[in-house]
Amino acid sequence: MAHIHPPGFPIERGKIHEFANSILDDNPLYHDEQAAKAQGLPSVVAPPTFASAAAFFPEKGAGGMRLEGIDMRFALHGGQELTFERPLFAGDVLRADPGTSKSYEKDGKRGGKMKFFETEVAYRDASGKIVLRLRNTLIQTAGVVQDR
């Protein structure tokens, strides 16, 4: 995967507009800068799930999901949690802080052992304040799930 230089997760007005259209949300705060400013906001605001795009802006050492050794044929999206300290606005450029990463195994009921991979990353704005905490869980089953 190619990396953006300089590193960071840029929150761009046009991408907010495209994302809001893709989820069929015509809230003017996502599309109209004047409407956002009339509400006292610095610019258009990103829909909450826009933050999932952070996965496409990995930074070295930022605790991103390590996919080496994972058999993607048996990988499942186990969940994603977003915790906001404030909304994301067009013009923000967020930097990822190294977060925690852990893995563990559990016995599955129909597919053998399951491996869990959890990562947590904090994103900071230009002033260094945490804006967003992002937690991801990936699950790898031992193989094809067996029906009983």
Side-chain angles (χ1 to χ4, degrees):
M1 175 185 290
H3 295 275
I4 192 168
H5 290 284
F9 173 31
I11 311 300
E12 301 165 347
R13 188 172 147 231
K15 292 298 180 184
I16 291 171
H17 170 73
E18 289 174 359
F19 187 88
N21 279 340
S22 76
I23 60 171
L24 305 175
D25 196 326
D26 61 358
N27 182 334
L29 299 180
Y30 301 152
H31 302 278
D32 185 336
E33 194 164 34
Q34 262 99 24
K37 289 185 175 186
Q39 294 294 314
L41 302 174
S43 187
V44 295
V45 64
T49 53
F50 180 87
S52 62
F56 296 101
F57 295 88
E59 291 188 44
K60 187 176 181 174
M65 192 69 70
R66 308 283 186 253
L67 298 179
E68 297 89 23
I70 297 174
D71 188 338
M72 294 305 287
R73 295 175 303 159
F74 306 115
L76 306 170
H77 181 253
Q80 185 174 59
E81 294 177 42
L82 306 164
T83 305
F84 292 89
E85 299 301 322
R86 71 159 173 82
L88 307 182
F89 297 107
D92 283 336
V93 178
L94 305 180
R95 295 294 309 256
D97 270 351
T100 61
S101 206
K102 68 178 180 178
S103 63
Y104 54 93
E105 293 183 353
K106 288 185 179 181
D107 287 326
K109 293 183 177 140
R110 299 184 301 153
K113 278 227 185 284
M114 298 184 305
K115 296 178 185 176
F116 290 76
F117 303 88
E118 295 179 359
T119 60
E120 200 171 317
V121 179
Y123 288 87
R124 296 180 182 272
D125 63 14
S127 70
K129 291 183 181 166
I130 293 178
V131 174
L132 167 68
R133 288 180 178 84
L134 182 59
R135 179 183 291 160
N136 283 302
T137 303
L138 181 75
I139 304 168
Q140 178 184 308
T141 62
V144 176
V145 174
Q146 303 296 316
D147 286 330
R148 290 189 180 213

